[in-house]
Protein backbone atom coordinates (compact mmCIF):
# COMPACT_ATOMS: atom_id res chain seq x y z
CA UNK A 1 0.00 0.00 0.00
CA UNK A 2 1.27 3.46 -0.88
CA UNK A 3 1.06 6.16 1.82
CA UNK A 4 1.83 9.83 1.36
CA UNK A 5 0.70 13.34 0.53
CA UNK A 6 -2.72 13.49 -1.10
CA UNK A 7 -3.30 17.27 -0.92
CA UNK A 8 -1.22 20.35 -0.02
CA UNK A 9 -2.58 23.70 1.15
CA UNK A 10 -0.66 26.88 1.93
CA UNK A 11 -1.34 30.24 3.52
CA UNK A 12 0.76 33.31 4.28
CA UNK A 13 -0.38 36.66 5.73
CA UNK A 14 -1.43 39.40 3.29
CA UNK A 15 1.38 41.81 4.24
CA UNK A 16 5.06 41.80 3.29
CA UNK A 17 8.14 44.01 3.17
CA UNK A 18 10.63 44.23 0.34
CA UNK A 19 14.12 43.09 1.36
CA UNK A 20 15.82 45.92 -0.55
CA UNK A 21 13.91 48.39 1.61
CA UNK A 22 14.75 46.46 4.79
CA UNK A 23 18.43 46.46 3.82
CA UNK A 24 18.38 50.23 3.20
CA UNK A 25 16.71 50.81 6.56
CA UNK A 26 19.32 48.65 8.31
CA UNK A 27 22.27 50.22 6.49
CA UNK A 28 23.44 47.05 4.72
CA UNK A 29 23.93 46.41 1.01
CA UNK A 30 20.67 45.04 -0.46
CA UNK A 31 22.61 42.18 -2.11
CA UNK A 32 23.47 40.83 1.33
CA UNK A 33 19.78 40.04 1.82
CA UNK A 34 18.74 39.30 -1.77
CA UNK A 35 21.84 37.28 -2.78
CA UNK A 36 23.84 36.43 0.38
CA UNK A 37 20.73 35.36 2.33
CA UNK A 38 18.60 34.85 -0.80
CA UNK A 39 15.35 36.52 0.27
CA UNK A 40 13.31 39.00 -1.81
CA UNK A 41 10.29 39.59 0.41
CA UNK A 42 9.37 38.85 4.01
CA UNK A 43 5.85 38.08 5.21
CA UNK A 44 4.59 40.27 8.05
CA UNK A 45 1.93 38.93 10.42
CA UNK A 46 -0.89 41.25 11.45
CA UNK A 47 -2.08 40.88 15.04
CA UNK A 48 -5.25 39.22 13.68
CA UNK A 49 -3.26 36.10 12.65
CA UNK A 50 -1.53 33.51 14.81
CA UNK A 51 -0.34 29.93 14.25
CA UNK A 52 -3.89 28.59 14.64
CA UNK A 53 -5.52 30.94 12.14
CA UNK A 54 -2.64 30.57 9.66
CA UNK A 55 -2.97 26.79 9.74
CA UNK A 56 -6.77 26.87 9.50
CA UNK A 57 -6.51 29.18 6.47
CA UNK A 58 -3.98 26.82 4.85
CA UNK A 59 -6.25 23.79 5.33
CA UNK A 60 -9.49 25.54 4.37
CA UNK A 61 -8.99 25.19 0.62
CA UNK A 62 -7.97 21.54 0.57
CA UNK A 63 -10.39 19.83 2.96
CA UNK A 64 -13.73 18.70 1.53
CA UNK A 65 -16.73 17.09 3.23
CA UNK A 66 -15.44 13.56 2.64
CA UNK A 67 -12.06 14.47 4.18
CA UNK A 68 -13.81 15.94 7.23
CA UNK A 69 -15.48 12.57 7.80
CA UNK A 70 -12.36 10.49 7.19
CA UNK A 71 -9.78 12.53 9.13
CA UNK A 72 -9.38 10.84 12.51
CA UNK A 73 -6.05 12.39 13.49
CA UNK A 74 -4.90 16.03 13.36
CA UNK A 75 -1.26 16.70 14.20
CA UNK A 76 -0.14 20.31 14.42
CA UNK A 77 3.61 20.86 14.18
CA UNK A 78 4.54 24.28 15.54
CA UNK A 79 6.97 26.21 17.68
CA UNK A 80 4.60 29.21 17.83
CA UNK A 81 1.98 27.52 19.99
CA UNK A 82 -0.58 29.70 21.75
CA UNK A 83 -1.11 27.59 24.86
CA UNK A 84 1.09 25.46 27.11
CA UNK A 85 -1.70 22.91 27.61
CA UNK A 86 -4.32 22.84 24.89
CA UNK A 87 -3.08 21.80 21.47
CA UNK A 88 -3.43 24.14 18.49
CA UNK A 89 -4.84 21.12 16.61
CA UNK A 90 -8.07 21.19 18.66
CA UNK A 91 -8.78 24.78 17.57
CA UNK A 92 -8.22 23.96 13.89
CA UNK A 93 -10.28 20.78 14.20
CA UNK A 94 -13.19 22.95 15.38
CA UNK A 95 -12.66 25.78 12.87
CA UNK A 96 -12.71 23.33 9.96
CA UNK A 97 -15.64 21.25 11.25
CA UNK A 98 -13.76 17.94 11.28
CA UNK A 99 -15.66 14.90 12.59
CA UNK A 100 -15.44 14.65 16.42
CA UNK A 101 -14.21 11.04 16.36
CA UNK A 102 -10.66 12.22 15.87
CA UNK A 103 -7.45 12.59 17.88
CA UNK A 104 -5.79 16.02 18.04
CA UNK A 105 -2.26 16.74 19.22
CA UNK A 106 0.56 19.26 18.88
CA UNK A 107 4.08 18.14 17.92
CA UNK A 108 7.14 20.17 18.84
CA UNK A 109 10.79 19.93 17.82
CA UNK A 110 11.57 23.30 16.26
CA UNK A 111 11.25 23.18 12.45
CA UNK A 112 11.12 19.37 12.49
CA UNK A 113 7.58 19.22 14.01
CA UNK A 114 5.65 18.74 10.76
CA UNK A 115 8.05 16.03 9.57
CA UNK A 116 7.56 14.16 12.85
CA UNK A 117 3.83 14.52 12.26
CA UNK A 118 4.08 13.07 8.74
CA UNK A 119 6.06 10.07 9.95
CA UNK A 120 3.52 9.42 12.73
CA UNK A 121 0.71 9.83 10.20
CA UNK A 122 2.39 7.25 7.95
CA UNK A 123 2.36 4.69 10.76
CA UNK A 124 -1.26 5.51 11.58
CA UNK A 125 -2.39 5.03 7.97
CA UNK A 126 -0.45 1.74 7.75
CA UNK A 127 -2.62 0.46 10.64
CA UNK A 128 -5.83 2.15 9.45
CA UNK A 129 -5.71 2.44 5.65
CA UNK A 130 -9.19 3.96 5.44
CA UNK A 131 -8.23 6.95 7.67
CA UNK A 132 -6.84 10.29 6.65
CA UNK A 133 -4.52 12.46 8.75
CA UNK A 134 -4.35 16.23 8.62
CA UNK A 135 -0.81 17.44 9.25
CA UNK A 136 -0.32 21.16 9.89
CA UNK A 137 2.88 23.16 10.07
CA UNK A 138 2.41 26.82 11.00
CA UNK A 139 4.77 29.37 12.48
CA UNK A 140 5.70 33.01 12.85
CA UNK A 141 9.48 33.43 12.80
CA UNK A 142 10.56 36.32 15.05
CA UNK A 143 14.15 37.27 15.90
CA UNK A 144 13.65 40.96 16.70
CA UNK A 145 14.12 44.29 14.94
CA UNK A 146 17.67 45.06 13.89
CA UNK A 147 19.05 41.62 14.76
CA UNK A 148 21.15 39.40 12.42
CA UNK A 149 18.21 36.99 12.21
CA UNK A 150 15.72 39.69 11.19
CA UNK A 151 16.25 39.16 7.45
CA UNK A 152 15.25 35.49 7.91
CA UNK A 153 11.88 36.17 9.59
CA UNK A 154 8.63 35.15 7.92
CA UNK A 155 5.23 33.59 8.57
CA UNK A 156 2.93 31.03 7.05
CA UNK A 157 1.40 27.61 7.20
CA UNK A 158 1.26 24.42 5.21
CA UNK A 159 -1.52 21.83 5.48
CA UNK A 160 -0.92 18.28 4.24
CA UNK A 161 -3.53 15.59 3.89
CA UNK A 162 -1.85 12.21 4.41
CA UNK A 163 -3.66 9.13 3.12
CA UNK A 164 -3.34 5.72 1.51
CA UNK A 165 -3.02 5.76 -2.30
CA UNK A 166 -2.02 9.46 -2.26
CA UNK A 167 -2.42 11.49 -5.45
CA UNK A 168 0.66 13.73 -5.11
CA UNK A 169 3.65 12.07 -3.41
CA UNK A 170 4.00 8.48 -2.17
CA UNK A 171 6.55 8.34 0.65
CA UNK A 172 9.19 5.65 0.32
CA UNK A 173 9.71 3.27 3.19
CA UNK A 174 13.25 4.03 4.25
CA UNK A 175 14.27 7.18 6.04
CA UNK A 176 17.42 8.35 7.84
CA UNK A 177 17.28 10.43 11.02
CA UNK A 178 19.61 11.79 13.65
CA UNK A 179 19.34 13.61 17.01
CA UNK A 180 21.95 15.47 19.07
CA UNK A 181 21.42 17.85 22.00
CA UNK A 182 22.83 21.19 20.80
CA UNK A 183 22.04 24.87 21.45
CA UNK A 184 21.99 26.43 18.00
CA UNK A 185 18.52 28.00 18.21
CA UNK A 186 15.93 27.92 20.98
CA UNK A 187 13.11 29.96 22.49
CA UNK A 188 12.63 29.76 26.27
CA UNK A 189 8.96 29.85 27.27
CA UNK A 190 9.25 33.39 28.63
CA UNK A 191 10.45 34.83 25.32
CA UNK A 192 8.52 35.67 22.16
CA UNK A 193 11.70 35.97 20.10
CA UNK A 194 14.17 33.20 19.31
CA UNK A 195 17.72 33.01 20.63
CA UNK A 196 20.18 31.84 18.04
CA UNK A 197 23.85 31.18 17.49
CA UNK A 198 23.59 31.96 13.78
CA UNK A 199 26.91 30.67 12.44
CA UNK A 200 26.78 27.56 14.63
CA UNK A 201 23.22 26.85 13.42
CA UNK A 202 24.37 27.00 9.79
CA UNK A 203 27.22 24.58 10.50
CA UNK A 204 24.96 22.16 12.37
CA UNK A 205 22.33 22.24 9.62
CA UNK A 206 24.99 21.08 7.16
CA UNK A 207 26.58 18.60 9.56
CA UNK A 208 23.22 16.95 10.22
CA UNK A 209 22.51 16.92 6.48
CA UNK A 210 25.76 15.08 5.77
CA UNK A 211 25.05 12.61 8.60
CA UNK A 212 21.56 11.67 7.39
CA UNK A 213 22.53 11.68 3.72
CA UNK A 214 25.32 9.16 4.41
CA UNK A 215 22.99 7.06 6.56
CA UNK A 216 20.28 7.19 3.87
CA UNK A 217 22.68 5.90 1.20
CA UNK A 218 23.77 3.03 3.45
CA UNK A 219 20.16 2.08 4.17
CA UNK A 220 18.94 2.23 0.56
CA UNK A 221 21.91 1.71 -1.77
CA UNK A 222 20.63 4.73 -3.70
CA UNK A 223 22.97 7.49 -4.88
CA UNK A 224 22.54 11.14 -5.79
CA UNK A 225 21.96 10.07 -9.39
CA UNK A 226 18.74 8.29 -8.32
CA UNK A 227 17.14 11.48 -6.98
CA UNK A 228 15.60 14.05 -9.34
CA UNK A 229 15.35 16.93 -6.86
CA UNK A 230 16.11 17.60 -3.21
CA UNK A 231 13.91 19.97 -1.23
CA UNK A 232 15.40 21.44 1.92
CA UNK A 233 14.16 23.01 5.09
CA UNK A 234 14.71 26.63 4.08
CA UNK A 235 15.35 29.08 6.93
CA UNK A 236 16.51 31.31 4.04
CA UNK A 237 17.01 30.20 0.46
CA UNK A 238 20.81 30.22 0.44
CA UNK A 239 20.94 27.66 3.29
CA UNK A 240 19.83 24.59 1.34
CA UNK A 241 22.21 25.46 -1.48
CA UNK A 242 25.13 25.45 0.94
CA UNK A 243 24.13 21.93 2.01
CA UNK A 244 23.56 20.71 -1.55
CA UNK A 245 26.99 21.98 -2.59
CA UNK A 246 28.63 19.69 -0.02
CA UNK A 247 27.44 16.59 -1.92
CA UNK A 248 26.92 17.81 -5.49
CA UNK A 249 30.23 16.35 -6.73
CA UNK A 250 28.77 12.88 -6.10
CA UNK A 251 26.41 13.43 -9.08
CA UNK A 252 27.03 13.01 -12.81
CA UNK A 253 27.39 16.21 -14.86
CA UNK A 254 23.86 15.98 -16.23
CA UNK A 255 22.48 15.21 -12.79
CA UNK A 256 24.31 18.16 -11.22
CA UNK A 257 22.53 20.48 -13.63
CA UNK A 258 19.15 18.94 -12.86
CA UNK A 259 19.63 19.13 -9.08
CA UNK A 260 20.87 22.73 -9.13
CA UNK A 261 18.10 23.87 -11.45
CA UNK A 262 15.43 22.11 -9.38
CA UNK A 263 16.94 23.62 -6.25
CA UNK A 264 16.41 27.13 -7.60
CA UNK A 265 12.80 26.34 -8.51
CA UNK A 266 12.18 24.82 -5.07
CA UNK A 267 13.05 28.14 -3.42
CA UNK A 268 10.53 30.25 -5.40
CA UNK A 269 7.82 30.63 -2.75
CA UNK A 270 10.16 30.64 0.27
CA UNK A 271 12.13 33.54 -1.26
CA UNK A 272 8.99 35.70 -1.01
CA UNK A 273 7.72 34.48 2.36
CA UNK A 274 10.75 33.94 4.62
CA UNK A 275 11.23 31.25 7.21
CA UNK A 276 7.99 29.55 8.25
CA UNK A 277 9.83 27.04 10.45
CA UNK A 278 7.75 23.81 10.49
CA UNK A 279 6.19 24.47 7.09
CA UNK A 280 9.36 25.69 5.32
CA UNK A 281 10.39 22.31 3.83
CA UNK A 282 6.88 21.67 2.53
CA UNK A 283 6.63 25.17 1.10
CA UNK A 284 9.80 24.35 -0.81
CA UNK A 285 8.21 21.11 -2.05
CA UNK A 286 5.15 23.09 -3.12
CA UNK A 287 7.34 25.58 -5.02
CA UNK A 288 9.01 22.73 -6.88
CA UNK A 289 5.77 20.94 -7.73
CA UNK A 290 3.85 24.04 -8.79
CA UNK A 291 6.64 25.95 -10.54
CA UNK A 292 8.59 23.24 -12.39
CA UNK A 293 6.73 22.62 -15.65
CA UNK A 294 9.06 19.75 -16.64
CA UNK A 295 8.83 17.66 -13.49
CA UNK A 296 7.65 14.19 -14.48
CA UNK A 297 5.37 11.66 -12.79
CA UNK A 298 7.53 8.98 -11.18
CA UNK A 299 10.33 11.39 -10.21
CA UNK A 300 12.01 10.71 -6.89
CA UNK A 301 12.08 13.77 -4.58
CA UNK A 302 14.44 13.92 -1.60
CA UNK A 303 13.38 15.87 1.48
CA UNK A 304 15.77 17.19 4.14
CA UNK A 305 14.12 18.26 7.37
CA UNK A 306 16.08 20.06 10.10
CA UNK A 307 14.79 21.30 13.44
CA UNK A 308 17.26 23.10 15.66
CA UNK A 309 18.13 21.64 18.96
CA UNK A 310 18.43 19.35 16.91
CA UNK A 311 16.81 16.61 14.81
CA UNK A 312 17.53 16.00 11.12
CA UNK A 313 15.87 13.57 8.70
CA UNK A 314 16.30 12.65 5.05
CA UNK A 315 13.52 10.79 3.26
CA UNK A 316 12.14 10.44 -0.23
CA UNK A 317 8.89 10.21 -2.13
CA UNK A 318 7.76 9.33 -5.65
CA UNK A 319 5.56 11.72 -7.64
CA UNK A 320 2.29 10.04 -8.52
CA UNK A 321 0.61 9.84 -11.95
CA UNK A 322 -1.00 13.19 -12.90
CA UNK A 323 0.09 14.77 -9.59
CA UNK A 324 -0.12 18.23 -11.19
CA UNK A 325 -3.92 17.92 -11.44
CA UNK A 326 -4.15 17.71 -7.66
CA UNK A 327 -2.24 20.89 -6.82
CA UNK A 328 -3.85 24.27 -6.03
CA UNK A 329 -1.49 26.37 -8.13
CA UNK A 330 -4.04 29.00 -9.20
CA UNK A 331 -5.14 29.64 -5.65
CA UNK A 332 -1.53 30.06 -4.50
CA UNK A 333 -0.74 32.38 -7.42
CA UNK A 334 -3.66 34.62 -6.49
CA UNK A 335 -2.69 34.49 -2.79
CA UNK A 336 0.74 35.90 -3.69
CA UNK A 337 -0.71 38.41 -6.16
CA UNK A 338 -3.16 39.81 -3.61
CA UNK A 339 -0.56 40.55 -0.93
CA UNK A 340 0.17 44.15 0.02
CA UNK A 341 3.64 45.65 0.41
CA UNK A 342 4.08 47.79 3.52
CA UNK A 343 6.79 50.26 4.58
CA UNK A 344 9.51 49.41 7.08
CA UNK A 345 7.90 51.83 9.57
CA UNK A 346 4.56 50.02 9.25
CA UNK A 347 6.29 46.63 9.68
CA UNK A 348 8.09 47.83 12.82
CA UNK A 349 4.83 49.08 14.28
CA UNK A 350 3.09 45.75 13.59
CA UNK A 351 6.08 43.85 15.01
CA UNK A 352 5.83 45.74 18.31
CA UNK A 353 2.08 45.18 18.70
CA UNK A 354 1.21 42.75 21.47
CA UNK A 355 -1.85 40.93 22.69
CA UNK A 356 -2.67 41.53 26.36
CA UNK A 357 -1.32 38.94 28.80
CA UNK A 358 -3.30 40.12 31.84
CA UNK A 359 -6.63 38.58 30.91
CA UNK A 360 -8.19 41.85 29.77
CA UNK A 361 -10.77 41.71 27.01
CA UNK A 362 -9.59 42.84 23.57
CA UNK A 363 -11.45 43.14 20.31
CA UNK A 364 -9.36 43.22 17.16
CA UNK A 365 -10.32 44.88 13.89
CA UNK A 366 -10.52 41.97 11.45
CA UNK A 367 -12.00 44.05 8.63
CA UNK A 368 -8.45 44.97 7.50
CA UNK A 369 -7.40 41.30 7.25
CA UNK A 370 -8.63 39.55 4.08
CA UNK A 371 -8.03 36.07 5.54
CA UNK A 372 -11.19 33.98 5.90
CA UNK A 373 -10.16 32.88 9.40
CA UNK A 374 -8.90 35.52 11.84
CA UNK A 375 -8.17 36.04 15.48
CA UNK A 376 -10.93 38.47 16.48
CA UNK A 377 -9.90 39.10 20.07
CA UNK A 378 -9.42 37.71 23.55
CA UNK A 379 -11.92 37.47 26.35
CA UNK A 380 -11.54 35.71 29.71
CA UNK A 381 -8.06 34.59 28.61
CA UNK A 382 -9.59 32.74 25.64
CA UNK A 383 -8.67 33.49 22.03
CA UNK A 384 -11.72 34.18 19.87
CA UNK A 385 -11.47 33.07 16.25
CA UNK A 386 -13.86 33.96 13.46
CA UNK A 387 -14.42 32.13 10.21
CA UNK A 388 -15.89 34.86 8.00
CA UNK A 389 -17.20 32.24 5.56
CA UNK A 390 -19.49 30.62 8.13
CA UNK A 391 -20.35 33.71 10.21
P1 LIG B 1 24.88 37.55 9.29
O1 LIG B 1 25.94 37.06 10.18
O2 LIG B 1 24.41 38.94 9.48
O3 LIG B 1 25.26 37.40 7.79
O4 LIG B 1 23.60 36.62 9.45
P2 LIG B 1 26.67 36.99 7.12
O5 LIG B 1 27.67 38.04 7.43
O6 LIG B 1 27.00 35.56 7.42
O7 LIG B 1 26.23 37.12 5.59
C1 LIG B 1 25.28 36.27 5.06
C2 LIG B 1 25.70 35.94 3.63
O8 LIG B 1 25.61 37.14 2.84
C3 LIG B 1 27.16 35.48 3.51
O9 LIG B 1 27.16 34.49 2.50
C4 LIG B 1 27.88 36.73 3.01
O10 LIG B 1 29.08 36.45 2.28
C5 LIG B 1 26.81 37.30 2.10
P3 LIG B 1 27.84 33.05 2.78
O11 LIG B 1 29.28 33.32 2.90
O12 LIG B 1 27.26 32.55 4.07
O13 LIG B 1 27.44 32.23 1.58
N1 LIG B 1 26.96 38.75 1.82
C6 LIG B 1 26.78 39.27 0.59
N2 LIG B 1 26.46 38.70 -0.59
C7 LIG B 1 26.33 39.53 -1.68
N3 LIG B 1 26.53 40.87 -1.62
C8 LIG B 1 26.83 41.47 -0.45
C9 LIG B 1 26.98 40.66 0.72
N4 LIG B 1 27.28 40.92 2.01
C10 LIG B 1 27.27 39.73 2.68
N5 LIG B 1 27.03 42.79 -0.41
C11 LIG B 1 22.63 34.42 9.64
C12 LIG B 1 23.35 35.42 8.74
C13 LIG B 1 22.04 33.30 8.80
C14 LIG B 1 23.64 33.86 10.66
C15 LIG B 1 21.50 35.18 10.41
O14 LIG B 1 20.56 35.67 9.49
C16 LIG B 1 20.77 34.31 11.43
O15 LIG B 1 21.22 34.17 12.56
N6 LIG B 1 19.61 33.72 11.02
C17 LIG B 1 18.80 32.86 11.91
C18 LIG B 1 19.37 31.47 12.07
C19 LIG B 1 19.26 30.62 10.82
O16 LIG B 1 18.48 30.89 9.93
N7 LIG B 1 20.03 29.53 10.78
C20 LIG B 1 19.94 28.59 9.68
C21 LIG B 1 20.28 27.16 10.08
S1 LIG B 1 19.36 26.63 11.53
C22 LIG B 1 17.77 26.26 10.92
O17 LIG B 1 17.57 26.19 9.77
C23 LIG B 1 16.68 26.08 11.95
C24 LIG B 1 15.73 27.25 12.09
O18 LIG B 1 14.84 27.29 10.99
C25 LIG B 1 14.99 27.18 13.41
C26 LIG B 1 14.20 25.93 13.73
O19 LIG B 1 14.60 24.81 13.52
O20 LIG B 1 13.12 26.13 14.34
C27 LIG B 1 16.46 28.59 12.09
Amino acid sequence: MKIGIDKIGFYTPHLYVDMNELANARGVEPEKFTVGIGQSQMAVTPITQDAVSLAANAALHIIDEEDKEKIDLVIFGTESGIDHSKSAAVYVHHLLGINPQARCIEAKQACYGATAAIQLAKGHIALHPESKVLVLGADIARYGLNTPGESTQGAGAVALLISAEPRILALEEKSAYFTADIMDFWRPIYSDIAFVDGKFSNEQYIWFFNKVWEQYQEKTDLTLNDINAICYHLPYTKMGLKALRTIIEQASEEQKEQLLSNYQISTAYNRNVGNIYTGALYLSLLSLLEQNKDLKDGSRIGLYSYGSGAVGEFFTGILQPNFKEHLNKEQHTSLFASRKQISIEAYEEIFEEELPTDGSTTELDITQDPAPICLAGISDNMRQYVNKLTK
Side-chain angles (χ1 to χ4, degrees):
M1 178 177 62
K2 291 180 188 171
I3 302 173
I5 301 172
D6 190 56
K7 296 184 183 178
I8 311 179
F10 165 63
Y11 188 76
T12 188
H14 71 293
L15 303 174
Y16 72 92
V17 292
D18 181 280
M19 295 306 278
N20 291 292
E21 289 193 5
L22 183 65
N24 289 335
R26 299 296 178 250
V28 302
E29 284 182 28
E31 291 75 20
K32 175 173 176 184
F33 290 172
T34 57
V35 181
I37 294 288
Q39 294 301 126
S40 301
Q41 297 169 351
M42 179 175 95
V44 175
T45 317
I47 199 150
T48 45
Q49 291 294 315
D50 63 13
V52 166
S53 61
L54 291 172
N57 284 309
L60 199 59
H61 294 282
I62 62 162
I63 302 298
D64 60 25
E65 291 307 315
E66 192 198 326
D67 298 330
K68 287 180 195 171
E69 280 311 307
K70 293 214 161 151
I71 292 170
D72 63 359
L73 177 58
V74 181
I75 315 181
F76 196 135
T78 186
E79 49 182 301
S80 315
I82 56 155
D83 196 291
H84 290 312
S85 299
K86 179 170 170 173
S87 84
V90 171
Y91 291 93
V92 177
H93 173 273
H94 168 72
L95 285 163
L96 298 177
I98 291 170
N99 116 68
Q101 289 180 28
R103 293 177 173 133
C104 284
I105 55 166
E106 197 168 301
K108 179 172 70 184
Q109 177 27 58
C111 299
Y112 176 73
T115 303
I118 289 172
Q119 298 298 356
L120 293 174
K122 201 173 148 199
H124 180 78
I125 304 285
L127 283 174
H128 308 283
E130 72 295 345
S131 308
K132 294 186 183 191
V133 181
L134 179 61
V135 168
L136 304 159
D139 278 296
I140 300 167
R142 286 169 67 86
Y143 293 91
L145 303 177
N146 244 313
T147 60
E150 183 182 30
S151 57
T152 66
Q153 292 178 162
V158 172
L160 304 159
L161 190 67
I162 309 295
S163 74
E165 306 311 328
R167 289 170 293 179
I168 297 179
L169 188 79
L171 298 170
E172 291 192 285
E173 197 198 318
K174 291 189 177 147
S175 180
Y177 33 88
F178 188 79
T179 291
D181 183 0
I182 57 163
M183 295 304 278
D184 60 332
F185 166 107
W186 66 104
R187 185 165 72 83
I189 38 185
Y190 50 78
S191 176
D192 77 337
I193 52 164
F195 291 78
V196 61
D197 185 341
K199 300 277 182 251
F200 181 56
S201 72
N202 287 359
E203 285 163 22
Q204 291 301 308
Y205 175 107
I206 293 174
W207 191 73
F208 272 66
F209 173 63
N210 293 146
K211 275 268 176 215
V212 291
W213 170 240
E214 268 172 40
Q215 200 195 108
Y216 179 80
Q217 290 174 95
E218 281 164 21
K219 279 187 174 177
T220 60
D221 284 334
L222 294 174
T223 73
L224 200 47
N225 291 330
D226 298 309
I227 296 176
N228 300 87
I230 301 180
C231 294
Y232 288 83
H233 163 57
L234 293 178
Y236 55 93
T237 71
K238 181 85 167 287
M239 186 70 244
L241 184 60
K242 290 185 197 202
L244 177 59
R245 280 180 179 152
T246 65
I247 63 164
I248 196 76
E249 290 309 320
Q250 298 169 17
S252 65
E253 284 310 310
E254 197 188 334
Q255 180 68 355
K256 270 185 209 168
E257 234 173 80
Q258 182 183 201
L259 288 168
L260 289 169
S261 151
N262 279 335
Y263 178 80
Q264 285 312 329
I265 300 170
S266 76
T267 62
Y269 292 168
N270 306 67
R271 171 172 271 280
N272 294 323
V273 171
N275 195 354
I276 61 167
Y277 292 159
T278 47
L281 167 60
Y282 303 98
L283 183 56
S284 171
L285 174 65
L286 197 60
S287 304
L288 178 75
L289 302 188
E290 293 189 347
Q291 297 300 321
N292 185 337
K293 294 187 197 74
D294 303 324
L295 204 57
K296 296 201 170 40
D297 300 356
S299 297
R300 176 177 284 119
I301 311 295
L303 296 128
Y304 173 56
S305 182
Y306 178 79
S308 283
V311 180
E313 179 153 352
F314 188 87
F315 59 110
T316 49
I318 304 292
L319 287 175
Q320 295 304 288
N322 305 318
F323 71 91
K324 287 198 175 109
E325 289 170 17
H326 305 289
L327 298 167
N328 277 1
K329 186 176 170 186
E330 270 173 36
Q331 195 242 322
H332 299 142
T333 307
S334 75
L335 176 68
F336 277 109
S338 64
R339 294 194 308 164
K340 187 176 144 205
Q341 185 181 339
I342 55 170
S343 67
I344 300 305
E345 293 73 31
Y347 145 65
E348 290 178 345
E349 218 171 280
I350 292 172
F351 191 90
E352 304 280 20
E353 264 185 289
E354 280 175 5
L355 292 167
T357 51
D358 61 359
S360 53
T361 296
T362 310
E363 258 185 55
L364 300 172
D365 176 10
I366 60 168
T367 60
Q368 301 306 308
D369 186 340
I373 296 175
C374 294
L375 174 65
I378 300 189
S379 64
D380 292 332
N381 292 300
M382 291 181 266
R383 289 190 185 218
Q384 309 296 325
Y385 295 97
V386 167
N387 182 346
K388 295 174 191 165
L389 304 178
T390 57
K391 214 176 142 194

